[in-house]
Amino acid sequence: MLILGIESSCDETAAAVLDTTGGLLANIIHSQVALHAQYGGVVPELASRDHIKWIQRITHQALAEAGITLDEVDGIAVTRGPGLVGSLLVGLSFAKALALVKNIPIVGVDHLVGHLTSVFLGDELPHFPYLALTVSGGHTSLVLVKGPRDFTLVGCTLDDAAGEAFDKVAKLLGLEYPGGPSVARLATDGDPGAVAFPRAMPGKDNFDFSFSGVKTAVANYVREQRELPGTMLADICASFQEAVCDVLVTKTLRAAVSEGLTEVVLAGGVAANTRLREMLRRRGVEQGIRVIATPLAFCTDNAAMICMAAKEIFMEKTGDSMNLDVYSRPVFTRRA
Ligand code: KG4
Ligand code: ZN
């Protein structure tokens, strides 16, 4: 089966083609980073308008790279939420138009399920059941994955997402947008033990996170300094990154042990962070837990993961109706 995937939930216009037996044939991403950089964050209206401008070109490019035409596509997968409504509507409307014209079945895919499935695009595969830590600009969640379509939320952030904290800290330090990679880059030259930023562990027996405290601590620390020499900036980045990674790794491994799981999957944009990958791996080994990190190419938003998630959906049903709509907020509900 050949699946064409379309993703436009935030600031990436992406299209991919997955051959469910032969693997990924194309994965094209147009990033809007340059467009939003001058505002220090994603401007929703500009994002929607840019998706409109690029979506056809990116889709054509994906089909061309895969060496197929639209007539050969067996199913269309499109992100339907959560995300920016205006941006999602561009992808969904475009996907519906293609589906209608060529009479191709279409399925709506949850963006978080896409991230949760992205690990299957790599060579190192997890075994069910496992615990997945998804850390991105919009999510910080721990999900128990018992099967390809069996997801249970066991913990999530109570305030900022981990990526959001990286982005906000970068902004207050005057670093280039997007913040995560900027902070990570500077952190490589800094001392992670220079400043003891707080490690918020809300509740001893739950698996929730909180990142607004560490963000405020960085803001207060910066305000207290008269001036910040370049080396100090690197130390702040390294110390902040260490605090965030420490909390993520500690809680994730604690949750895995408590759930009796021996495998942990790392996904989402922040999963591209080298320090997080190595800390989770190292401490995982110490606790007898196998850690599988999503390949770097599929951590940040892409349409390949939307195709991968749809592969399982297409096994259950032929498609969604043309009434398919978008949603802005996460739909995963916490375990009772
Ligand atoms: O998954 P993603 O592309 O979009 C969302 O679904 O939100 O994740 C984007 C987030 C941003 O907050 C970005 O700053 C962060 O991932 N990010 C990183 C790194 N690369 C991207 N954060 C920390 N270290 C990185 N290397
Ligand atoms: Zn994402």
Side-chain angles (χ1 to χ4, degrees), residues 12 111 115 136-138 163-164 166-167 179-181 184 268-270 272-273 299-301:
E12 267 96 22
H111 184 81
H115 278 302
S136 71
E164 196 179 349
F166 268 93
D167 294 338
V270 184
N273 187 279
C299 286
T300 45
D301 288 350

Side-chain angles (χ1 to χ4, degrees), residues 242-322:
E242 198 69 6
V244 172
C245 293
D246 190 10
V247 170
L248 288 170
V249 170
T250 303
K251 277 239 158 175
T252 301
L253 295 177
R254 193 188 289 167
V257 170
S258 146
E259 298 287 330
L261 301 168
T262 54
E263 291 196 9
V264 163
V265 162
L266 178 62
V270 184
N273 187 279
T274 309
R275 181 69 184 134
L276 178 60
R277 294 169 85 90
E278 73 182 24
M279 194 191 281
L280 187 59
R281 276 221 178 88
R282 182 175 45 78
R283 282 167 48 181
V285 168
E286 286 167 11
Q287 298 188 35
I289 289 172
R290 179 176 175 239
V291 171
I292 306 126
T294 298
L296 282 178
F298 307 115
C299 286
T300 45
D301 288 350
N302 62 85
M305 67 185 194
I306 303 304
C307 291
M308 195 47 106
K311 177 181 164 182
E312 299 297 337
I313 303 174
F314 275 122
M315 284 187 192
E316 280 173 15
K317 59 180 177 186
T318 39
D320 283 321
S321 94
M322 275 295 150

